[in-house]
């Protein structure tokens, strides 16, 4: 049942879209006709209706003496273009793809407000006789009352906060209230009886917009409506300034100063009025408000070209009239020649500008790749690389969502940064790869109706490959930094160990030897037997000290390595009598001492674990040079790894020694049983 109700609602809303378009067309036609009627008339109604009730035709003529009254009338008539153009554009964008009554109403209200909120209805009221003129004149109040209830529920149709529903009722009652005030002659247009309720309702609209922005809107909706909220707050602040400062009083002066003040203040007022529909249009075009498809691309090009042609026609006609006042042929001919020469360059430039505004830089792949390469020129941490990539992709390509993750890591970066969940749209992924290794994934979501083209995918694939190289460089740099930190830490640990052994072991022992020798020398003449016994004890202690020194030296570099790596492993393996060790090694090149030491320690640690913990009887050690690295493999026939292996000091030591060279250690259990330790220790010089 609920589904059928929803379907009927959608069908009814589809009926509202053509109605909305029809109303927009009617309001646009009324506006154009009103501008033409006002321009053809000599009556000053566009000025008088804008300036207010304190002005009369005689006062206006007197105040406008320094300039022609026609220029003043034209200026105030042109002011109406400021809200009309963005209002009609915003209305057309809102109605595009509208499937709810709220959007249909929003489109019609924006068109009505943009075209009829100024002086055009007053032109009709004074130029058209009878009821029709009065009805058209009443469109001014209807335009204002029709727009502001919309702002309590924009952009999703839900009123917030809840008490704003009573404000909507207040706006609906505003026109009857003004009519009652006028009928009872309770005050003029600037009287508190009229200004205070209007100011209060303006304030509630501004407060509701800020409340929705901070408490209700999602991060995506905040980006989409930020300009609308700012325009509404700015507009309300302007009204308050007029009400509490002398600026409002200047408008009441029927003098030249009052006329100039009115010209400036109403220019500001019309700009602020135009900001709301302009902000809605920007939210739709830039932040994909209402998910309008990119039909707007060609529309914007058409509007830009129409404006250029109209401006060129006006300028050429003006110049032609001035230079050849009695010739009606040269002006149009010059216009045709100029448009013929400049149309294609103008169209190309307009197309590029609109493409950049709507699509971002999708059609400039080399520029995008160049900018990305420039930003990644310095070696950054991996998370900074990801942030740079998604920022460049999302911003340059005007995508509603982009994200990047590293394989095997919790590092993930999204664009826009405060977006909680991906918006609706087609999701596509690209591998951030280096050579044949996938390092991460780049995820993008395109707007509905704006799927990525083959060229866009090629661009993103190129960005992903370039990013993969940067991530690999950043990862290697990060690993190198950590390796250096480990090496420095290990060196300091080794220094502390040597210091401790020398201070706590050899130091006291050597001091004791000196004391005993000194005592034996003093006893040598009177107690030779005791001195000889004491010297014998000193000799034994000296041999012990020599053993400790050898142990310290062996800890720095095993003396067995003087036999070579293979000989050292074989000699040390003899100290494990319970384990029979076989060594397989081809002719090894001369290895760096540090590599020999690391390989020896790894191999002996693996053999010691096999003998002591795995109960193995045999073990095989294989040493192979492969692709610039020494590969060490130790396989035994022991009981294998326990189900829950807790790495001890020995396993950590093996991994740390390999990681110092950028290598790896893997411990596995073969199908035949036992344990296999495979270590890779890269070294400079390759196989040479």
């Amino acid at each position: 049942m609920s589904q059928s109700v929803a379907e009927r609602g959608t069908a009814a809303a589809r009926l509202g879209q053509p109605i909305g378009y029809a109303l927009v067309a009617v309001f646009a036609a009324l506006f154009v006709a009103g501008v033409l009627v006002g321009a053809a008339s000599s009556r000053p109604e566009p000025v008088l209706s804008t300036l207010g009730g304190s002005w009369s035709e005689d006062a206006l003529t007197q105040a406008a003496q320094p300039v022609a009254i026609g220029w003043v009338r034209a200026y105030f008539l042109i002011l109406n273009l400021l809200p009309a153009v963005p209002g009609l554009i915003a209305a057309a964008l809102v109605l595009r793809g509208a499937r709810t009554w709220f959007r249909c109403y929003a489109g019609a209200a924006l068109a009505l407000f943009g075209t009829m909120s100024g002086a055009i209805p007053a032109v009709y009221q004074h130029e058209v006789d009878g009821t029709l003129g009065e009805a058209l004149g009443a469109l001014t109040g209807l335009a204002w009352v029709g727009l502001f209830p919309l702002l309590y529920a924009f952009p999703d149709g839900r009123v917030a906060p809840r008490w704003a529903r009573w404000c909507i009722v207040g706006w609906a009652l505003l026109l009857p209230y003004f009519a009652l005030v006028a009928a009872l002659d309770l005050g003029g247009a600037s009287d508190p009886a009229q200004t205070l309720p209007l100011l209060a309702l303006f304030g509630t609209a501004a407060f509701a917009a800020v409340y929705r922005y901070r408490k209700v809107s999602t991060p995506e909706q905040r980006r989409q409506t930020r300009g609308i909220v700012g325009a509404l707050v700015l507009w309300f602040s302007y009204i308050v300034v007029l009400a509490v400062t002398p600026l409002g009083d200047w408008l009441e002066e029927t003098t030249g100063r009052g006329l100039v003040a009115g010209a400036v203040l109403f220019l500001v007022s019309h700009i602020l009025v135009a900001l709301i529909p302009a902000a809605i249009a920007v939210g739709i075009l830039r932040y994909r408000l209402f998910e309008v498809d990119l039909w707007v691309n060609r529309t914007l090009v058409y509007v830009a070209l129409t404006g250029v042609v109209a401006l060129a026609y006006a300028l050429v006609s003006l110049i032609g009239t001035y230079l050849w006042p009695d010739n009606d042929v040269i002006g149009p001919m010059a216009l045709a020649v100029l448009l013929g020469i400049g149309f294609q360059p103008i169209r190309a430039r307009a197309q590029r500008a609109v493409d950049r505004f709507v699509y971002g830089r999708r059609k400039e792949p080399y520029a995008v790749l160049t900018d990305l390469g420039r930003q990644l020129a310095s070696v950054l941490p991996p998370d900074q690389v990801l942030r740079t990539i998604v920022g460049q992709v999302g911003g340059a390509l005007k995508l509603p969502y982009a994200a990047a993750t590293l394989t095997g890591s919790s590092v993930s970066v999204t664009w826009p940064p405060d977006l909680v969940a991906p918006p609706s749209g087609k999701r596509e992924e690209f591998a951030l790869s280096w050579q044949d290794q996938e390092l991460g994934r780049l995820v993008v979501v395109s707007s509905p109706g704006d799927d990525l083209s083959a060229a866009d995918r090629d661009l993103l694939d190129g960005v992903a490959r370039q990013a993969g190289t940067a991530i690999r460089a950043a990862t290697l740099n990060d690993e190198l930094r950590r390796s250096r930190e480990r090496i420095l830490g290990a060196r300091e640990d080794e220094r502390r160990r040597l210091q401790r052994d020398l201070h706590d072991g050899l130091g006291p022992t050597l001091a004791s030897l000196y004391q005993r020798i000194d005592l034996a020398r003093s006893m040598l003449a009177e107690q030779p037997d005791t001195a000889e016994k004491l010297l014998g004890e000193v000799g034994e202690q000296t041999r012990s000290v020599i053993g400790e020194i050898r142990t310290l030296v062996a800890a720095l570099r095993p003396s067995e390595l003087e036999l070579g790596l293979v000989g050292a492993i074989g000699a040390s393996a003899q100290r494990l009598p319970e384990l029979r060790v076989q060594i397989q090694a081809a002719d090894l090149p001369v290895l760096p001492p540090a590599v020999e030491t690391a390989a020896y320690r790894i191999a002996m640690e693996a053999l010691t674990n096999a003998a002591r913990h795995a109960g193995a009887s045999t073990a095989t050690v294989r040493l192979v040079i492969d692709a610039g690295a020494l590969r060490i493999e130790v396989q035994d026939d022991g009981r294998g790894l326990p189900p829950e292996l807790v790495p001890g000091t020995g396993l950590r030591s093996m991994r740390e020694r390999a990681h110092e060279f950028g290598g790896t250690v893997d411990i596995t259990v073969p199908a035949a049983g036992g344990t296999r330790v495979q270590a890779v220790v890269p070294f400079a010089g390759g196989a040479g």
Side-chain angles (χ1 to χ4, degrees):
M1 171 118 182
S2 60
Q3 184 177 3
S4 62
V5 172
E7 290 175 353
R8 288 196 299 271
T10 302
R14 288 176 181 172
L15 178 63
Q17 186 184 25
I19 295 175
Y21 274 127
L23 290 174
V24 170
V26 169
F27 297 145
L30 286 174
F31 177 79
V32 173
V35 170
L36 295 177
V37 170
S41 173
S42 59
R43 297 173 66 92
E45 266 63 38
V47 185
L48 297 178
S49 63
T50 304
L51 292 177
S54 61
W55 284 83
S56 64
E57 186 172 353
D58 293 336
L60 179 61
T61 304
Q62 182 68 24
Q65 278 185 354
V67 295
I69 188 65
W71 288 103
V72 176
R73 189 172 58 251
Y75 172 81
F76 279 89
L77 193 62
I78 291 173
L79 285 182
N80 293 274
L81 289 171
L82 292 176
V85 173
L88 291 172
I89 292 175
L93 293 174
V94 169
L95 289 172
R96 180 68 178 177
R99 291 294 181 267
T100 63
W101 276 108
F102 175 76
R103 282 179 60 180
C104 296
Y105 165 72
L110 285 168
L112 176 62
F113 179 78
T115 56
M116 296 294 144
S117 61
I120 301 303
V123 172
Y124 279 116
Q125 187 174 9
H126 290 84
E127 296 294 337
V128 178
D129 297 329
T131 306
L132 179 60
E134 294 295 329
L136 293 175
L139 288 177
T140 300
L142 187 61
W144 287 83
V145 172
L147 176 72
F148 280 88
L150 169 70
L151 299 177
Y152 294 101
F154 195 84
D156 55 9
R158 292 178 297 176
V159 177
R162 291 186 176 181
W163 51 260
R165 294 182 175 89
W166 296 105
C167 298
I168 296 176
V169 175
W171 282 102
L173 297 176
L174 192 62
L175 288 182
Y177 172 77
F178 283 165
L180 179 63
V181 169
L184 298 177
D185 195 19
L186 297 178
S190 60
D191 191 87
Q194 295 197 33
T195 57
L196 289 180
L198 188 61
L199 190 63
L201 288 174
F202 266 120
T204 61
F207 178 84
V210 174
Y211 176 88
R212 172 184 287 273
Y213 179 83
R214 297 188 60 185
K215 302 293 186 181
V216 179
S217 297
T218 64
E220 184 178 11
Q221 287 176 335
R222 290 194 188 101
R223 284 189 300 275
Q224 294 169 342
T225 60
R226 186 177 296 138
I228 304 168
V229 175
L232 191 57
V233 171
L234 191 62
W235 196 2
F236 175 70
S237 302
Y238 173 76
I239 294 174
V240 172
V241 169
L242 286 182
V244 301
T245 64
L247 291 177
D249 297 333
W250 291 359
L251 298 178
E252 300 295 328
E253 294 184 12
T254 57
T255 62
R257 188 178 78 161
L259 181 60
V260 172
V264 174
L265 291 177
F266 281 104
L267 173 62
V268 175
S269 176
H270 280 72
I271 291 175
L272 294 177
V273 167
L275 284 181
I276 288 183
I280 293 175
V282 171
I284 292 173
L285 294 174
R286 184 173 182 182
Y287 298 110
R288 302 298 187 263
L289 178 63
F290 298 139
E291 298 180 348
V292 173
D293 61 39
L294 294 185
W295 143 90
V296 298
N297 180 275
R298 293 182 179 178
T299 302
L300 288 176
V301 174
Y302 174 79
V303 170
L305 290 179
T306 302
V308 170
V309 171
L311 181 61
Y313 182 84
L315 290 176
V316 172
S317 298
L318 183 62
I319 294 172
T321 302
Y322 179 77
L323 295 178
W324 303 284
D326 298 327
N327 196 320
D328 297 333
V329 179
I330 296 180
M333 288 182 61
L335 175 63
V337 171
L338 289 177
L339 291 180
I341 295 174
F343 182 80
Q344 180 57 28
I346 292 173
R347 190 207 65 80
R349 287 181 179 274
Q351 185 69 61
R352 283 197 299 270
V354 171
D355 285 341
R356 174 71 69 87
F357 181 76
V358 176
Y359 295 104
R361 303 180 67 184
R362 297 189 194 181
K363 299 189 177 182
E364 304 173 22
Y366 297 109
V368 174
L369 292 174
T370 300
D371 288 349
L372 180 61
R374 188 180 300 113
Q375 295 182 43
L376 297 177
S378 57
V379 179
L380 304 171
D383 59 332
Q384 291 288 343
V385 173
L386 294 183
R387 191 168 290 109
T388 301
I389 292 166
V390 298
Q392 179 75 358
V393 168
L397 275 64
K398 290 290 184 71
L399 294 171
Y401 177 81
T405 57
L406 288 180
T407 302
S409 172
S410 60
V411 177
S412 178
V413 178
T414 60
W415 187 94
D418 55 353
L419 195 61
V420 177
S424 59
K426 187 175 181 181
R427 175 190 178 100
E428 299 191 46
E429 297 188 9
F430 301 86
L432 304 174
S433 58
W434 177 74
Q435 295 182 352
D436 294 331
Q437 181 182 1
E438 183 176 314
L439 305 177
R441 305 291 291 179
L442 173 64
V443 180
V444 299
V445 175
S446 55
S447 301
D450 181 25
D451 294 344
L452 298 176
S453 64
D456 297 336
R457 294 188 185 91
D458 290 341
L459 172 59
L460 287 171
D461 189 58
V463 169
R465 286 197 301 271
Q466 187 172 359
T469 303
I471 292 172
R472 178 60 177 170
T475 304
L476 291 176
N477 182 71
D478 201 42
E479 291 177 355
L480 177 61
R481 179 185 56 80
R482 290 197 299 268
S483 177
R484 287 175 176 172
E485 291 174 354
R486 286 196 301 268
I487 292 172
L488 292 175
R491 185 177 67 182
E492 291 303 316
D493 290 342
E494 193 67 17
R495 285 178 174 177
R496 284 193 294 268
R497 185 184 67 82
L498 284 173
Q499 182 187 37
R500 184 175 61 252
D501 291 346
L502 292 173
H503 181 272
D504 298 341
L506 285 178
T509 302
L510 292 176
S512 174
L513 285 175
Y514 173 77
Q515 292 174 354
R516 290 192 175 204
I517 292 173
D518 190 53
L519 179 61
R521 186 175 59 217
S522 64
M523 299 173 61
L524 190 59
E526 298 179 0
Q527 300 177 358
D529 294 339
T530 304
E532 183 179 356
K533 181 180 178 182
L534 189 58
L535 289 173
E537 292 176 356
V538 168
E540 291 293 331
Q541 193 172 3
T542 302
R543 283 191 290 271
S544 175
V545 170
I546 293 172
E548 290 184 22
I549 293 175
R550 286 176 176 172
T551 301
L552 290 174
V553 172
L556 297 176
R557 175 175 167 81
S559 58
E560 291 86 352
L561 285 174
E562 300 299 328
L563 304 174
L565 179 58
V566 176
I569 295 175
S572 298
Q574 293 178 3
R575 296 198 291 267
L576 303 171
E578 67 274 21
L579 186 66
R580 187 171 67 256
V581 179
Q582 180 183 5
I583 302 176
Q584 299 176 359
D587 294 335
L588 297 179
V590 177
L591 297 172
V595 174
E596 279 190 333
T597 302
Y600 171 78
R601 298 294 190 193
I602 292 172
M604 290 310 302
E605 185 65 40
L607 292 174
T608 302
N609 289 339
R612 294 181 180 176
H613 305 298
S617 59
T618 61
T620 302
V621 180
R622 298 182 181 87
L623 303 174
V624 180
I625 299 296
D626 182 21
L630 174 63
R631 297 183 178 273
I632 307 116
E633 180 181 308
V634 180
Q635 183 168 344
D636 62 58
D637 62 351
R639 64 176 65 97
L641 299 175
E644 296 182 359
L645 177 64
V646 179
T649 304
L651 296 180
R652 288 197 300 270
S653 175
M654 286 193 291
R655 288 196 169 93
E656 288 176 358
R657 292 183 185 279
H659 289 169
E660 288 178 357
F661 296 88
T664 58
V665 172
D666 293 322
I667 303 175
T668 57
V669 177
T675 305
R676 178 184 297 147
V677 178
Q678 294 175 302
V680 178
V681 181
F683 63 93

